[in-house]
């Protein structure tokens, strides 16, 4: 390693480079440049393309918000995709099938998601079980519950009547609203929900004592415990919030599909983890932040969109995604 | 301490609830006539994670309920080949009178199916094939033929020319490949061109994303052909969000009553092509076999097309070629 060569690069550059936010930004710019080059006959220069990718990444971003809290506390939550599916089914059941008002359906769905998360968190905190295995169990359980509650079928506006025919309801206005675009059709509502979730996480992590506790637990759990941090309670909180955000994502997913699919969100936990890690939050815990996750979400979102508008084939798409994700991470973590 | 008690209590209550519900379902599934049923059929389903396969089981259940002498036991292999193998062996061990298998994949399940067949248990293979001839009857539809019909329908409806977006299922699966090749055969030699194609892995959110890309790139799209109805629905939602859903037609495959047929009825899809589950045909064939009648070893299921014009008449049968 040529250490002398790096020295000549200058102090200011090294300071710049050690800031994780700037490194995440550099990774994002790298991907955007790919888009500028491969712009699919100008499709990349249309605002609609960017608006759509911001809509599409919202659900993953919301999951990643909760995941960030958990990962900062040195945990992992594999259940977010399944809780998303379960929440989508619950919300469809409440609002489409039973016709509940959104003022009842939304809190009930959020409560269900938060309870699932709290169940994981409770087991992890009280019985000191491995987060990986507990949330893996929750992942399987919640998926099963979603299939059971829905009878294995998507819950949509079409309702089967006793004589075998179907009645078609209209989607309630609230769901139409969630699926709509605002600000003169320039921003999807779900994008704004994602930003709101990010803002809540930022408040928690940067402004509240609870946030500092999460960093402390992730940095050194035993030291945190000895200095009086309520480790168990904080872990419970982190997983409950992760469940809550998964339910928010489930509601957004359901509103965009206008149906509750018990299979929704399968595999999404990996995308959420990828977003958090690409942003630069350490999987070992203790370091990172929600701003990084926002940048990570944009990086993944742009990557998928660029491959999609260029109609890249599935095999090449998977390989390129793997390569670009790994390059982005290497690019970020190169430090001396 | 309190939390432990509360958690424990909640788990207990939940367990009781689940158990109660499961028992209720069990009771529903096995009414009194179970004791009088003279024939037990084992149904090995490869994956109930797909709505189409849920429908297959529902069709079998519905058809069997009309025959009090039949009792059907269902097993779901959750998309796991070895689990399905075990299920087939369990059915053989339990001595069912007839076996219906909808296999996950051909090669690994050929041996257990053949073993059952050699023990003189009649086997009906549904939808996907096994290798060789060691089964009583295969019932399935022809994806390629259905996709070809979809291509011809598109050609006729658009007047011989047009710009098409194709949203493909999983191209590593045979249904995906057949639905791709068949459609291309249907529009072959015409002025119709596929301007954008992408894998959506049978999933609606993916279809919506890919369709958004197609819309961003092409100002004129005349028809969207998706390999399944949820894919076509996702494409419709993308076009609707862009205010362009009226400028193009959406066509899907499968035509499940609560999916494709419902979308056609709602005016979302212009057409949905049925990929029949074969559930009721399987029970009809099973009865013939159990009553000692001869059946053909291959039964290709006919398929219907549902359009806005014919949906109230129950669709139109595709012509035999």
């Amino acid at each position: 390693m040529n250490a002398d060569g790096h020295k000549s690069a200058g102090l200011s550059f090294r300071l710049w480079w050690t800031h994780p936010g700037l490194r995440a930004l550099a990774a994002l710019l790298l991907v955007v440049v790919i888009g500028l080059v491969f712009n699919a006959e100008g499709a990349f220069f249309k605002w609609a393309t960017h608006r759509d990718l911001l809509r599409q990444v919202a659900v993953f971003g919301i999951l990643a918000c909760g995941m960030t809290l958990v990962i900062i506390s040195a945990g992992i939550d594999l259940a977010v995709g399944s809780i998303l599916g379960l929440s989508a089914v619950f919300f469809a059941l409440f609002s489409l099938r039973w016709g509940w008002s959104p003022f009842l359906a939304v809190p009930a769905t959020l409560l269900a998601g938060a309870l699932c998360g709290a169940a994981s968190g409770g087991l992890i905190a009280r019985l000191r079980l491995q987060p990986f295995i507990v949330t893996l169990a929750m992942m399987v359980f919640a998926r099963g519950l979603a299939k059971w509650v829905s009878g294995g079928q998507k819950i949509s506006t079409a309702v089967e009547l006793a004589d075998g025919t179907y009645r078609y309801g209209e989607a309630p206005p609230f769901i139409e609203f969630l699926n709509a675009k605002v600000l003169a059709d320039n921003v999807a509502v779900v994008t704004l929900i994602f930003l709101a979730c990010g803002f809540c996480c930022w408040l928690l992590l940067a402004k509240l004592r609870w946030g500092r506790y999460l960093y402390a637990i992730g940095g050194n759990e035993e030291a945190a415990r000895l200095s009086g941090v309520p480790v168990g309670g904080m872990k419970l909180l982190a997983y409950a919030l992760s469940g809550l955000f998964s339910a928010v994502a489930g509601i957004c997913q359901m509103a965009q599909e206008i149906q509750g699919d018990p299979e929704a969100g399968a595999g999404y936990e990996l995308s959420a983890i990828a977003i958090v890690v690409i942003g630069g939050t350490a999987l070992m815990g203790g370091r990172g932040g929600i701003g990084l996750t926002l940048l990570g979400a944009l990086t993944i979102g742009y990557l998928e969109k660029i491959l999609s508008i260029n109609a890249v084939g599935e095999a090449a798409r998977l390989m390129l995604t793997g390569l670009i994700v790994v390059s982005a991470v290497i690019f970020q973590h190169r430090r001396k | 301490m309190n939390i432990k008690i509360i958690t424990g209590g909640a788990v207990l209550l939940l367990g009781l609830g689940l158990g109660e519900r499961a028992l209720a379902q069990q009771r529903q599934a096995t009414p009194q006539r179970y004791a009088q049923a003279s024939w037990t059929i084992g149904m090995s389903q490869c994956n109930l994670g797909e709505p189409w396969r849920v429908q297959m089981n529902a069709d079998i259940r519905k058809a069997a309920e009309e025959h009090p002498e039949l009792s059907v036991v269902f097993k779901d292999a959750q998309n796991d080949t070895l689990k399905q193998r075990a299920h087939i062996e369990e059915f053989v061990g339990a001595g069912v009178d007839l076996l219906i298998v909808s296999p996950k994949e051909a090669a690994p399940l050929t041996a257990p199916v053949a073993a059952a067949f050699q023990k003189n248990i009649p086997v009906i293979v549904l939808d996907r094939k096994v290798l060789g001839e060691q089964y009583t009857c295969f019932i399935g539809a022809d994806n390629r033929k259905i996709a070809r019909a979809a291509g011809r329908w598109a050609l006729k409806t658009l007047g011989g020319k047009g710009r098409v977006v194709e949203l493909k299922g999983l191209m590593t699966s045979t249904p995906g490949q057949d639905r791709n090749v068949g459609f291309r055969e249907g529009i072959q030699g015409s002025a119709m061109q596929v301007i954008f194609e992408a894998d959506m892995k049978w999933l609606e959110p993916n279809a919506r994303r890919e369709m958004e890309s197609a819309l961003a790139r092409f100002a004129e799209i005349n028809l969207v052909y998706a390999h399944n109805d949820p894919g076509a629905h996702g494409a419709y939602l993308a076009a609707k969000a862009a205010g362009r859903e009226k400028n193009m037609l959406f066509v899907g495959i499968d035509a499940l009553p609560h999916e494709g047929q419902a979308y056609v009825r709602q005016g979302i899809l212009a057409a949905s092509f049925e990929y029949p589950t074969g559930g009721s045909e399987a029970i009809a064939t099973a009865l013939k076999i159990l009553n000692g009648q001869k059946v053909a070893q291959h039964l290709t299921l006919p398929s219907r097309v549902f359009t806005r014009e014919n949906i109230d008449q129950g669709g139109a049968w595709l012509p035999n070629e």
Side-chain angles (χ1 to χ4, degrees):
Chain A
M1 192 73 204
N2 185 357
D4 292 333
H6 279 279
K7 247 180 217 165
S8 63
L11 188 66
S12 61
F13 176 76
R14 269 199 283 165
L15 272 179
W16 181 92
W17 196 239
T18 48
H19 194 288
L22 289 169
R23 277 188 276 130
L25 195 60
L28 171 61
L29 289 176
L30 186 79
V31 172
V32 171
V33 166
I34 298 175
L36 294 174
V37 176
F38 299 98
N39 56 49
E41 295 148 23
F44 192 74
F45 303 127
K46 291 180 189 159
W47 170 242
T49 303
H50 301 263
R51 178 196 66 200
D52 290 345
L53 93 83
L54 292 173
R55 176 196 69 73
Q56 196 243 319
V57 84
V59 161
F60 297 97
I62 294 168
L63 292 181
C65 283
M67 188 69 80
T68 306
L69 303 178
V70 171
I71 286 182
I72 283 178
S73 78
I76 193 91
D77 190 350
L78 300 179
V80 292
S82 293
I83 297 178
L84 181 155
L86 178 64
S87 310
V89 165
F90 272 143
F91 191 57
L93 202 63
F94 297 157
S95 54
L96 296 183
R97 189 65 52 85
W98 296 345
W100 288 10
S101 131
F103 296 105
L104 194 58
V106 171
T109 309
L110 294 182
L111 182 69
L115 280 178
C116 286
S120 301
L123 289 169
I124 291 162
R126 297 283 156 183
L127 303 180
R128 304 220 186 163
L129 300 175
Q130 286 291 329
F132 187 92
I133 200 71
V134 172
T135 58
L136 185 69
M138 178 53 77
M139 167 177 148
V140 180
F141 178 83
R143 182 67 68 199
L145 189 57
K147 290 187 189 201
W148 181 61
V149 167
S150 63
Q153 295 288 13
K154 294 170 186 172
I155 297 176
S156 67
T157 49
V159 181
E160 188 171 7
L161 302 175
D163 58 351
T165 58
Y166 286 84
R167 181 172 57 80
Y168 305 102
E170 281 288 305
F174 179 70
I175 287 171
E176 299 279 359
F177 166 73
L178 285 180
N179 190 25
K181 298 181 291 261
V182 288
L183 304 175
D185 263 8
N186 280 320
V187 184
V189 172
V190 290
T191 308
L192 297 179
I193 295 174
F194 168 37
L195 292 178
C197 290
F199 182 71
C200 293
C201 286
W202 175 78
L203 274 185
L204 174 75
L205 284 173
K207 296 288 162 200
L208 297 182
R209 189 161 35 122
W210 287 355
R212 287 202 303 281
Y213 285 167
L214 284 179
Y215 282 105
I217 294 168
N220 186 336
E221 188 175 328
E222 215 37 57
R225 198 186 305 277
L226 292 174
S227 32
V229 172
V231 172
M234 288 310 301
K235 281 190 174 176
L236 185 81
L237 179 75
Y239 287 93
L241 284 174
S242 182
L244 180 79
F245 284 120
S246 305
V248 174
I251 290 171
C252 292
Q253 180 92 358
M254 186 262 144
Q256 291 180 73
E257 291 191 37
I258 323 184
Q259 65 187 10
D261 182 356
E263 300 291 333
Y268 283 22
E269 57 280 347
L270 294 181
S271 299
I273 294 170
I275 285 172
V276 175
V277 174
I278 280 197
T281 295
L283 261 182
M284 285 84 75
R287 276 185 293 120
I290 204 71
L292 299 179
T293 296
L294 187 65
L295 291 171
L298 289 175
T299 308
I300 292 277
Y302 270 100
L303 179 56
E304 285 192 344
K305 195 70 197 175
I306 292 160
L307 293 170
S308 170
I309 53 173
N310 284 291
V312 177
E314 184 64 15
R317 199 180 283 201
L318 292 171
M319 289 190 291
L320 282 171
T321 308
L323 287 175
I324 296 173
V325 164
V326 124
S327 320
V329 173
I330 291 173
F331 187 58
Q332 276 192 43
H333 284 250
R334 211 182 54 182
R335 68 182 81 183
K336 183 77 181 86
Chain B
M1 200 58 195
N2 277 338
I3 283 190
K4 269 185 195 164
I5 292 167
I6 292 167
T7 320
V11 167
L12 195 67
L13 279 175
L14 191 64
L16 283 175
L18 286 173
E20 168 62 24
R21 175 79 183 256
L23 277 176
Q25 277 180 347
Q26 196 75 22
R27 280 196 292 272
Q28 263 181 351
T30 55
Q32 278 85 6
R33 68 161 189 261
Y34 182 74
Q36 303 151 17
S38 44
W39 287 307
T40 305
I41 296 178
M43 165 61 197
S44 166
Q45 176 61 268
C46 63
N47 183 18
L48 276 187
E50 301 166 34
W52 185 79
R53 295 188 172 278
V54 175
Q55 185 68 41
M56 183 198 276
N57 276 17
D59 289 347
I60 290 177
R61 186 171 286 126
K62 196 172 157 213
E65 272 168 8
E66 287 164 17
H67 300 278
E69 70 273 27
L70 292 183
S71 131
V72 186
V73 182
F74 293 88
K75 291 193 182 188
D76 166 24
Q78 294 162 328
N79 215 18
D80 183 331
T81 305
L82 293 181
K83 196 176 275 179
Q84 185 162 31
R85 185 183 181 131
H87 285 169
I88 295 171
E89 287 161 358
E90 283 161 27
F91 278 135
V92 173
V96 293
D97 299 295
L98 185 138
L99 195 58
I100 302 175
V101 181
S102 190
K104 174 170 150 55
E105 46 194 339
L109 291 165
T110 298
V113 165
F117 182 70
Q118 277 161 8
K119 286 199 173 133
N120 290 323
I121 297 175
V123 187
I124 297 174
V125 180
L126 252 187
D127 178 44
R128 292 184 192 162
K129 291 185 176 160
V130 292
L131 308 176
E133 303 286 320
Q134 300 262 17
Y135 53 85
T136 316
C137 179
F138 168 78
I139 301 175
D142 186 341
N143 268 311
R144 195 156 155 184
K145 208 169 103 183
I146 293 168
R148 205 181 300 134
R152 295 213 177 113
W153 183 90
L155 202 60
K156 202 174 130 205
T157 310
L158 291 182
K161 60 179 180 5
R163 290 150 68 86
V164 176
V165 168
E166 181 177 2
L167 298 172
K168 301 183 286 188
L170 204 56
M171 282 307 281
T172 44
S173 71
T174 39
Q177 291 157 2
D178 289 344
R179 289 177 187 190
N180 169 256
V181 172
F183 185 80
R184 302 301 173 109
E185 285 170 354
I187 62 168
Q188 206 170 32
S190 73
M192 217 150 120
Q193 51 176 154
V194 178
I195 53 171
F196 188 93
E197 53 182 301
D199 256 1
M200 48 89 177
K201 297 174 214 151
W202 311 113
L203 296 173
E204 176 157 345
N206 292 5
R208 182 168 177 171
R209 180 183 74 201
E210 300 305 330
M211 187 63 197
E212 280 173 348
S213 296
L215 289 164
R217 272 188 71 173
F218 299 102
E220 194 202 341
I221 297 167
N222 305 113
L223 185 135
V224 179
Y225 165 61
H227 286 191
N228 66 354
D229 293 320
H233 186 241
Y236 169 85
L237 291 177
K240 191 176 173 216
R244 290 169 62 181
E245 83 278 13
K246 299 256 189 311
N247 306 340
M248 59 193 84
L249 300 176
F250 299 87
V251 176
I253 294 189
D254 282 345
L256 292 183
H258 59 281
E259 273 184 8
Q261 289 182 38
Y263 297 149
V264 170
R265 220 179 270 277
Q266 287 169 298
I268 291 170
L269 301 191
S272 178
F273 289 76
E274 182 188 27
Y275 186 75
T277 67
S280 58
E281 289 84 352
I283 289 300
T285 309
L287 278 168
K288 278 188 195 164
I289 296 170
L290 291 168
N291 284 314
Q293 294 173 25
K294 268 262 179 228
V295 295
Q297 208 186 5
H298 272 83
L299 179 60
T300 303
L301 294 168
S303 170
R304 285 173 291 180
V305 53
F306 294 90
T307 62
R308 284 166 207 175
E309 293 76 37
N310 72 20
I311 182 110
D312 287 325
Q313 288 87 53
W317 293 101
L318 295 180
N320 250 326
E321 345 174 1

